[in-house]
Amino acid sequence: MKNKSSHGLMFKFSMVFVIFALVILSVTGFATYLSQMKSYKVECENNIRNIGEYLAALMKNDGTDFIKYQDYFMNNYKDMKIDFDFNSFEEARQVFIKAFSEKYPGKALGIDVQIEETPKDIQEKYFTYFHEYWLLTFEKARTIFHLPYTYYLVMGDDRARLDSLKEGQDTRYNVCYMIDGERTQDEERSTESEKFLYLGDTYYNAREENELEWNTWETGKRQDGFREWDNDWGHTYSCYTPLIIEGKKLGIIGTEIEVETVNKGILMNTLEQTGIIAAILVVGLIVMLVIVRQRFIRKMTKLESAMSRYSNTKDVSIADEVEKALSGRDEIDSLGKEFALMVREVAEYMQKMIRANRQLEVSRKREHEMSELAIRDSLTGIRNKTAYDREVFKIEREIEEGETIFGVAMCDLNFLKKINDTYGHEKGDMAIQKLCRVICVTFAHSPVFRIGGDEFAIILKNNDYASVDSLIEKFNAELKALSYDGTAEMWEAPSAAIGYALYDEKLDHGSYESVFKRADGEMYRKKEEMKAVRE
């Protein structure tokens, strides 16, 4: 009879708790989702607006130079030829600097000579470099902020340069993609050996279908809300930021985010807040149960106190106190005796657990030390080929999950055989160690591995990924500085070749090995340039 009554009480309390919790969580979850639907959309809108403002601020920093660049582009894009596959604007910049210096030795652009005063070929080189810079800027913004599309539009208005696409259309509603965040190849002018960008993509942009864009342009102010539409990049939200430099309206910047990304964020926020509400609800119901016990089951107070003291102190003598205080025969007394028995058993169990944990801790420490030794290179102290293989396996899984922001740099010590044969293997080891220190200091934010006798691999991540070109220059400068006066021995100032490749989904198709091979090939190309082919 006693067991049946106890079971019934617990069952009823459990059912009330479950039903109450489900109802509250369902109602609050739905209400939270509706609230988040609005607030998170506003947050996403602000984010892509901020990205647009960021790009606009960069453009404004160029001032009249950007105005000249836009005017030149709109007047000449049909005749401009820009390589499709460039990854840096530095080459185009150097071409312009060389041509300008040869034409105007000792002169400074913008001070002694204005760009519009230069010959047509120099202007073309200047604005080619300018366009590559801004295209890369928009592409990087798109990549860094995980946007499907970013672009800069020159709006029609009364610009006669924006040709009408169909006879009879109002040219005021034509737009031109001046900076297109997704490169398109000019199929008509490209050949098998030369590929050129498609420039000046102009089309009719009907006002009734693109009200937000035209209001942004005509008012010169950023509009509230964003446009939801289906395009080549999926179902997206779009925001538009006007570009005004020195009081002159030039165009609008478009930034887009996928609706699926926004909806996912809303769902995650809803789940997070529902989880918090669930935790609060559980705590509240526990407090309610404590009050019920205190008011209707007075004997539970003593047992609760004993449990609380034991929880804080883990004093085994509390078991004796409970047995003395609860010496009756009802359910609470029976529970008290069971509690006392549990205290003693837990105390005994805890002693066993402490001993076992100590032994386990010693074993884990030894295992960790052995594991560290297994993945550490004995000569340099950095991670070895085994650690590298583990890292490659991890990266391949990340690629499958969509994480594709990484690169690989390969570095190879030059003339190791010559150092070993001339100075001995001890000096060869010192040359490897010295090169390793330079690599680790230069690429401080990326894991470095020694995967061969004189070969190192760097997995480019974090700031090193974004600054790899400057780090390569720093690395070469550090090696050069070791022998600044030319008196250092080969092992004191080691020579090395380094090359890198960044993961490109179009080139590598989900393959880490492809990135590695491109980096290795680039490294060997550097060795050829240095005339330091591996012995």
Side-chain angles (χ1 to χ4, degrees):
M1 186 73 176
K2 177 174 63 176
N3 290 336
K4 182 178 179 180
S5 175
S6 176
H7 178 269
L9 182 62
M10 292 300 299
F11 179 77
K12 291 177 182 178
F13 269 106
S14 299
M15 289 302 298
V16 170
F17 176 85
V18 170
I19 294 173
F20 182 75
L22 289 176
V23 171
I24 293 298
L25 289 177
S26 298
V27 173
T28 55
F30 182 71
T32 301
Y33 183 81
L34 294 179
S35 174
Q36 286 292 315
M37 182 68 75
K38 179 179 180 181
S39 62
Y40 192 75
K41 278 187 177 181
V42 172
E43 180 182 343
C44 290
E45 177 186 351
N46 289 335
N47 286 342
I48 55 179
R49 280 181 170 180
N50 290 337
I51 297 169
E53 291 289 350
Y54 164 74
L55 292 171
L58 293 179
M59 294 172 165
K60 290 176 182 178
N61 284 339
D62 277 355
T64 55
D65 288 340
F66 191 89
I67 296 175
K68 293 177 182 179
Y69 157 56
Q70 178 165 317
D71 288 339
Y72 183 90
F73 181 91
M74 295 306 299
N75 285 318
N76 298 277
Y77 68 79
K78 292 183 179 179
D79 300 320
M80 292 173 67
K81 287 186 177 181
I82 299 179
D83 288 338
F84 179 79
D85 292 321
F86 67 89
N87 294 315
S88 170
F89 62 86
E90 187 60 30
E91 182 178 347
R93 178 174 173 270
Q94 292 301 326
V95 169
F96 161 70
I97 291 175
K98 180 180 179 182
F100 183 85
S101 299
E102 291 176 352
K103 179 68 176 178
Y104 303 100
K107 302 289 186 178
L109 180 66
I111 299 176
D112 303 313
V113 180
Q114 300 300 320
I115 189 61
E116 58 269 24
E117 298 171 355
T118 63
K120 184 177 180 180
D121 63 320
I122 293 182
Q123 291 187 37
E124 183 175 355
K125 291 180 175 62
Y126 177 75
F127 289 107
T128 295
Y129 138 62
F130 234 73
H131 189 73
E132 289 186 2
Y133 167 79
W134 281 111
L135 181 56
L136 287 172
T137 298
F138 271 67
E139 288 180 343
K140 287 181 179 178
R142 172 187 175 190
T143 301
I144 292 172
F145 296 108
H146 306 291
L147 302 181
Y149 197 31
T150 55
Y151 47 92
Y152 174 64
L153 299 177
V154 176
M155 311 300 285
D157 215 4
D158 59 349
R159 293 175 177 268
R161 292 169 295 186
L162 288 174
D163 301 326
S164 178
L165 299 181
K166 292 183 180 179
E167 185 176 347
Q169 286 183 342
D170 190 341
T171 58
R172 290 178 303 169
Y173 298 118
N174 287 350
V175 299
C176 177
Y177 278 86
M178 179 174 162
I179 303 174
D180 193 338
E182 172 115 335
R183 300 189 196 186
T184 302
Q185 184 175 321
D186 191 334
E187 300 295 344
E188 293 184 2
R189 295 197 289 179
S190 296
T191 64
E192 291 185 3
S193 59
E194 291 183 308
K195 297 180 181 179
F196 299 107
L197 280 174
Y198 179 64
L199 302 174
D201 185 12
T202 306
Y203 67 97
Y204 181 69
N205 200 31
R207 182 186 181 92
E208 59 271 14
E209 298 175 4
N210 304 276
E211 192 74 21
L212 191 64
E213 294 176 57
W214 289 109
N215 285 342
T216 302
W217 167 248
E218 291 168 355
T219 62
K221 296 180 180 180
R222 192 175 62 185
Q223 302 295 298
D224 293 330
F226 44 55
R227 178 186 179 190
E228 180 178 351
W229 61 314
D230 293 310
N231 52 43
D232 293 339
W233 294 269
H235 195 51
T236 66
Y237 291 125
S238 301
C239 271
Y240 304 99
T241 304
L243 178 62
I244 301 175
I245 299 178
E246 298 184 356
K248 182 178 181 180
K249 286 195 304 181
L250 297 176
I252 62 174
I253 300 164
T255 50
E256 299 186 5
I257 188 171
E258 289 181 324
V259 173
E260 182 179 349
T261 301
V262 178
N263 291 340
K264 183 178 179 181
I266 294 171
L267 180 60
M268 294 303 295
N269 283 346
T270 300
L271 292 176
E272 180 181 350
Q273 293 198 19
T274 302
I276 294 173
I277 293 171
I280 294 173
L281 179 62
V282 170
V283 172
L285 289 173
I286 290 174
V287 172
M288 180 187 69
L289 290 175
V290 171
I291 294 174
V292 170
R293 288 176 191 153
Q294 291 176 339
R295 292 189 61 183
F296 301 104
I297 313 175
R298 295 182 179 276
K299 282 190 174 184
M300 288 294 294
T301 303
K302 295 181 180 180
L303 182 57
E304 180 189 12
S305 176
M307 290 180 174
S308 177
R309 286 191 293 121
Y310 176 74
S311 176
N312 293 327
T313 64
K314 300 298 185 293
D315 186 357
V316 182
S317 65
I318 292 176
D320 297 330
E321 295 179 14
V322 170
E323 286 184 333
K324 291 178 180 179
L326 303 175
S327 57
R329 298 181 179 179
D330 59 24
E331 291 87 347
I332 300 175
D333 296 320
S334 177
L335 180 61
K337 294 174 184 178
E338 292 293 329
F339 171 70
L341 177 61
M342 181 197 70
V343 168
R344 294 189 178 96
E345 291 178 347
V346 168
E348 182 180 352
Y349 178 75
M350 289 299 295
Q351 290 298 323
K352 294 180 180 179
M353 287 294 296
I354 290 172
R355 291 193 294 270
N357 283 338
R358 287 174 181 170
Q359 296 175 353
L360 181 60
E361 190 64 30
V362 172
S363 298
R364 286 177 176 172
K365 185 176 180 181
R366 290 176 180 172
E367 181 183 354
H368 177 71
E369 291 173 351
M370 294 299 293
S371 178
E372 283 295 309
L373 289 174
I375 64 172
R376 290 290 172 184
D377 177 57
S378 59
L379 177 61
T380 63
I382 66 172
R383 284 173 275 191
N384 60 15
K385 182 64 165 57
T386 300
Y388 172 77
D389 291 338
R390 294 180 184 178
E391 186 70 15
V392 170
F393 179 76
K394 176 184 174 184
I395 291 174
E396 289 175 343
R397 288 191 301 175
E398 290 175 348
I399 292 175
E400 292 176 357
E401 296 170 358
E403 295 292 333
T404 58
I405 302 178
F406 77 93
V408 178
M410 297 298 298
C411 183
D412 192 271
L413 176 64
N414 295 329
F415 311 116
L416 177 59
K417 185 176 185 301
K418 184 175 182 180
I419 295 173
N420 287 334
D421 293 342
T422 305
Y423 303 100
H425 286 273
E426 180 181 356
K427 301 303 183 184
D429 290 346
M430 293 178 69
I432 292 172
Q433 290 171 332
K434 183 158 290 190
L435 174 60
C436 179
R437 284 194 293 271
V438 174
I439 295 173
C440 291
V441 170
T442 304
F443 298 92
H445 303 286
S446 298
V448 181
F449 306 86
R450 184 184 178 203
I451 62 174
D454 56 357
E455 193 171 24
F456 296 84
I458 306 107
I459 306 300
L460 299 171
K461 294 183 177 181
N462 305 319
N463 293 338
D464 293 356
Y465 175 90
S467 309
V468 62
D469 289 319
S470 62
L471 291 177
I472 294 290
E473 293 178 2
K474 179 182 177 183
F475 171 81
N476 291 326
E478 289 291 334
L479 290 184
K480 185 177 181 181
L482 293 176
S483 183
Y484 67 94
D485 59 358
T487 62
E489 299 290 352
M490 292 177 68
W491 55 271
E492 294 175 318
S495 168
I498 188 168
Y500 78 94
L502 302 181
Y503 179 82
D504 187 324
E505 192 170 0
K506 294 181 179 179
L507 293 176
D508 302 311
H509 305 292
S511 169
Y512 172 89
E513 184 67 20
S514 174
V515 187
F516 173 86
K517 288 181 179 179
R518 291 196 292 114
D520 200 51
E522 181 65 16
M523 184 265 290
Y524 272 102
R525 187 181 68 80
K526 294 293 185 182
K527 290 181 75 71
E528 291 289 342
E529 292 178 357
M530 300 170 73
K531 297 183 179 178
V533 180
R534 185 190 310 203
E535 295 90 356

